[in-house]
Amino acid sequence: MKIKLIVISKTDEKFLDEGIEKYLKRLKHYHSVEFVIIPDVKQGGKLAPDKLKEAEGKLILQKLQDGDHLILLDEKGKSFTSSEFATFLQKKLNAVTTNLVFAVGGAFGFSPEVYARANDKISLSKMTFTHQMVRMFFFEQLYRGFTILRGEKYHND
Ligand SMILES: C[S@@+](CC[C@H](N)C(=O)[O-])C[C@H]1O[C@@H](n2cnc3c(N)ncnc32)[C@H](O)[C@@H]1O
């Protein structure tokens, strides 16, 4: 079983790429983690937000395999402390036999179809972050979660 993070479009900022790379490298010690980047939707001109969300939603859903457990990163989702998130993660790792797939919406969020397919929604904060930043914050919290589960030092730093 893999943990995957699906996101829309590459990051524009080097500092985000470096942060993501750093935590993905660290995560290798704990679990198989795949970072899936969906290229920007290009349909000859700018799409209205709802149309863009719909097009991005289709691409997100196409990346899923039957039975994958889909957890959306969403500011209106369940909120946790990092320890609570570690417990949530452990429960999912115990219960889920398919891939554990997290997803970040595009600049305008998720389409109704993606919400309908989701098994869970989790929040990193009540504040709204850019979709490009969320991926780095998520990987850091995933790494933090594994260190908590293993009783390692990082989470006390
Ligand atoms: C700029 S936000 C979209 C905001 C949009 N107004 C909405 O209602 O979803 C882009 C994506 O980043 C993620 N995101 C932003 N802030 C978040 C937070 N605090 N917790 C979890 N995910 C967040 C979500 O996946 C969201 O779809």
Side-chain angles (χ1 to χ4, degrees):
M1 179 252 248
K2 276 188 185 166
I3 296 177
K4 299 186 185 183
L5 178 69
I6 301 179
V7 304
I8 308 287
S9 79
K10 284 197 215 160
T11 42
D12 302 322
E13 302 286 355
K14 196 166 166 239
F15 77 93
L16 289 174
D17 286 333
E18 286 170 356
I20 289 164
E21 210 174 296
K22 168 176 168 168
Y23 289 105
L24 275 175
K25 203 167 163 195
R26 290 185 178 195
L27 278 162
K28 279 192 188 141
H29 299 291
Y30 300 99
H31 206 90
S32 167
V33 177
E34 192 179 320
F35 185 32
V36 180
I37 304 174
I38 292 174
D40 277 329
V41 172
K42 291 204 173 67
Q43 295 205 347
K46 221 174 167 191
L47 287 179
D50 280 352
K51 292 282 173 206
L52 183 61
K53 281 199 291 191
E54 191 185 321
E56 289 171 346
K58 279 188 186 151
L59 296 173
I60 291 174
L61 296 177
Q62 278 171 13
K63 293 286 176 195
L64 300 177
Q65 293 170 14
D66 284 349
D68 275 356
H69 192 85
L70 178 64
I71 303 177
L72 305 184
L73 277 288
D74 187 294
E75 59 262 51
K76 295 186 199 76
K78 282 180 219 157
S79 56
F80 302 103
T81 63
S82 293
S83 294
E84 287 166 350
F85 175 64
T87 304
F88 170 87
L89 178 64
Q90 185 63 70
K91 282 187 185 155
K92 294 293 178 192
L93 292 172
N94 293 344
V96 174
T97 50
T98 53
N99 297 307
L100 190 52
V101 182
F102 294 86
V104 179
F108 299 106
F110 295 107
S111 65
E113 291 76 13
V114 175
Y115 279 117
R117 167 65 177 78
N119 299 95
D120 268 304
K121 282 189 301 181
I122 65 166
S123 166
L124 295 176
S125 161
K126 286 182 184 162
M127 293 183 180
T128 302
F129 303 124
T130 69
H131 68 113
Q132 297 207 358
M133 286 186 174
V134 169
R135 51 194 80 175
M136 186 179 78
F137 297 151
F138 172 75
F139 283 135
E140 193 275 339
Q141 284 301 307
L142 188 61
Y143 171 70
R144 185 177 292 269
F146 277 113
T147 65
I148 291 170
L149 293 176
R150 299 276 180 98
E152 294 172 356
K153 192 173 169 289
Y154 173 76
H155 67 282
N156 296 319
D157 292 346

